[in-house]
């Protein structure tokens, strides 16, 4: 897939899924703005990897839950690259616990980082995309937002909200050549999932028809497709990258 001449902004790109997505976009020819919240060193490493592929990369620190910081970030991307063609809303956190034990700050933190950030970043890039009458927006949700999961009421609520947001904004922006889609990963090996108990991992594996956990690169491949010209007639959709964990 040829993305030469395209500029991408990937949130939460210093590690895990975001890192894999940023590098995949660069391999396809895109220049990439690497957003991070705290891991400046890791973001710089990702940017270095992108530069090693012959593409331009700029690490940009911003809390995507803060609209003022997001606006400043997008202004910086446009100043550095001249435009934004692709937005991948990937930033996310977990604060897992059962509802009766969940603190209000745990709820707020997950909703702000995982859901409000989607609103902030999409709103910020929508205006320049509308002016250029083109754009690709991909939101990273989760199968948990569809099926639910005990101990993740905050995470599931945020991820379910992303799906509704994706469908609504796809209807709003479609007439200007902007597609908005979501990807719902299943069990993807990452730093976020490494802390799960082995019995939990075995339980998930038993439910996956492909009999393996996914990799960040599996998700990155789906992103590449959705931002490519080959997906120009796809919008408002949620693609499950879950090995068959959730079939509906």
């Amino acid at each position: 897939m040829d993305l030469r001449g395209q500029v991408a902004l990937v949130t939460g790109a210093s590690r895990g899924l975001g890192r894999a997505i940023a590098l995949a976009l660069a391999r396809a020819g895109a220049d990439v703005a690497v957003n991070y919240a705290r891991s400046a060193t890791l973001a710089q490493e990702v940017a270095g990897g992108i530069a090693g592929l012959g593409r331009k990369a700029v690490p940009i620190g911003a809390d995507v839950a803060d609209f003022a910081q997001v606006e400043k970030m997008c202004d910086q991307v446009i100043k550095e690259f001249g435009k934004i063609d692709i937005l991948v809303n990937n930033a996310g956190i977990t604060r897992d616990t059962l509802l009766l034990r969940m603190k209000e700050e745990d709820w707020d933190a997950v909703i702000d980082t995982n859901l409000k950030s989607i609103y902030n970043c999409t709103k910020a890039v929508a205006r320049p995309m509308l002016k250029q009458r083109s754009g690709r927006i991909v939101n990273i949700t989760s199968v948990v937002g569809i099926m639910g999961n005990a101990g993740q009421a905050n995470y599931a609520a945020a991820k379910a909200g992303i799906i509704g947001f994706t469908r609504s904004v796809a209807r709003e922006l479609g007439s200007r050549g902007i597609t908005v889609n979501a990807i719902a990963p299943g069990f993807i090996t990452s730093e976020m999932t490494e802390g799960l108990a082995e019995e939990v991992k075995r339980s998930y594996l038993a439910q996956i028809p492909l009999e393996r956990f996914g990799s960040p690169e599996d998700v990155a491949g789906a992103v590449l497709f959705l931002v490519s010209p080959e997906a120009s007639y796809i919008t408002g959709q949620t693609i499950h990258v879950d090995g068959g964990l959730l079939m509906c």
Side-chain angles (χ1 to χ4, degrees):
M1 295 179 183
D2 189 356
L3 299 179
R4 284 175 294 181
Q6 301 286 294
V7 175
L9 168 60
V10 182
T11 68
S14 64
R15 64 181 72 198
L17 288 182
R19 178 182 184 278
I21 291 166
L23 290 171
L25 292 169
R27 290 189 192 99
D31 295 324
V32 185
V34 179
N35 164 256
Y36 67 93
R38 292 175 296 276
S39 305
T41 300
L42 292 177
Q44 188 61 58
E45 290 177 2
V46 175
I50 292 169
L53 294 168
R55 308 312 311 166
K56 183 177 179 181
V58 176
I60 304 177
D63 178 1
V64 289
D66 184 320
F67 186 68
Q69 291 189 43
V70 168
E71 280 194 311
K72 184 177 179 181
M73 173 178 66
C74 291
D75 288 344
Q76 184 177 345
V77 175
I78 292 173
K79 181 179 179 180
E80 293 279 353
F81 297 98
K83 58 178 182 173
I84 301 175
D85 300 294
I86 298 165
L87 168 66
V88 182
N89 283 311
N90 165 76
I93 62 171
T94 57
R95 294 287 187 273
D96 296 350
T97 189
L98 296 174
L99 177 63
L100 294 181
R101 298 176 183 172
M102 187 177 293
K103 297 178 181 178
E104 184 177 358
E105 52 264 35
D106 293 330
W107 173 272
D108 290 343
V110 171
I111 295 298
D112 285 350
T113 301
N114 295 19
L115 181 57
K116 185 182 178 184
S117 66
I118 306 287
Y119 157 81
N120 288 341
C121 295
T122 303
K123 184 175 181 180
V125 304
R127 195 173 300 278
M129 284 185 177
L130 286 168
K131 287 181 179 179
Q132 65 195 30
R133 301 186 70 87
S134 67
R136 298 284 186 270
I137 299 172
V138 179
N139 302 320
I140 305 300
T141 178
S142 170
V143 294
V144 172
I146 301 166
M147 67 182 188
N149 195 33
Q152 290 192 305
N154 48 4
Y155 186 78
K159 293 301 186 179
I162 290 172
I163 295 172
F165 179 89
T166 297
R167 292 171 177 169
S168 298
V169 178
R171 291 182 181 276
E172 292 184 20
L173 303 182
S175 64
R176 296 295 184 91
I178 301 168
T179 66
V180 188
N181 292 289
I183 293 174
F187 196 108
I188 306 296
T189 54
S190 67
E191 291 181 8
M192 191 177 290
T193 58
E194 284 176 358
L196 293 176
E198 287 302 317
E199 59 268 25
V200 174
K201 294 180 183 179
R202 286 194 295 269
S203 174
Y204 275 118
L205 187 59
Q207 302 173 58
I208 300 173
L210 291 185
E211 298 183 342
R212 70 173 178 87
F213 298 135
S215 70
E217 288 71 26
D218 290 322
V219 178
V223 172
L224 275 181
F225 170 66
L226 287 175
V227 303
S228 72
E230 286 78 3
S232 64
Y233 200 56
I234 300 173
T235 195
Q237 303 303 307
T238 299
I239 295 179
H240 300 168
V241 182
D242 63 0
L245 174 63
L246 181 65
M247 295 189 187
C248 62

